[in-house]
């Protein structure tokens, strides 16, 4: 599962928080929402299908917060790798 947070990642220029603080909160919110998707998939599929999840940040093309497997080799290395078919 490649999770792509959308509007929650947009920085607000009129915010009292610094851009760094806004990004930190956006990452935490994105992970929370991705966890909800993963949990729903686990509920629907049961234990028969392993679910590996990673968050793709379109802003810088990075992938963050891998979950579901100990081996980092099973996860994409960057955004381009994550979107390969």
């Amino acid at each position: 599962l490649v999770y792509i947070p959308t509007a929650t990642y947009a920085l607000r220029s009129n915010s009292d928080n610094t851009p760094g603080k806004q990004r930190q909160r956006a990452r935490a919110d994105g992970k929370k929402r991705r966890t909800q998707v993963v949990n729903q998939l686990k509920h629907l599929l049961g234990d028969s299908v392993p679910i590996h999840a990673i968050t793709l940040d379109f802003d810088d093309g990075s992938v963050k917060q891998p979950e579901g497997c100990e081996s980092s080799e099973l996860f994409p290395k960057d955004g381009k790798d994550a979107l390969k078919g």
Side-chain angles (χ1 to χ4, degrees):
L1 168 71
V2 175
Y3 180 77
I4 305 170
T6 53
T8 61
Y9 259 52
L11 297 179
R12 292 179 294 284
S13 59
N14 62 345
S15 175
D16 291 335
N17 294 316
T18 65
K21 186 67 171 178
Q22 289 182 59
R23 280 194 282 288
Q24 179 184 12
R25 287 185 177 171
R27 281 192 303 272
D29 185 55
K31 185 173 183 187
K32 178 181 171 186
R33 291 171 190 265
R34 189 195 73 192
T35 299
Q36 291 172 337
V37 172
V38 167
N39 288 340
Q40 186 63 29
L41 285 172
K42 286 179 180 178
H43 176 74
L44 293 170
L45 301 174
D47 293 330
S48 61
V49 178
I51 298 172
H52 304 160
I54 198 156
T55 300
L56 169 59
D57 186 340
F58 267 164
D59 188 42
D60 63 5
S62 65
V63 289
K64 296 176 171 69
Q65 304 165 328
E67 174 185 330
C69 183
E70 296 296 320
S71 174
S72 63
E73 293 179 16
L74 295 177
F75 292 101
K77 304 298 178 224
D78 56 32
K80 185 176 179 181
D81 190 27
L83 296 175
K84 279 187 205 174

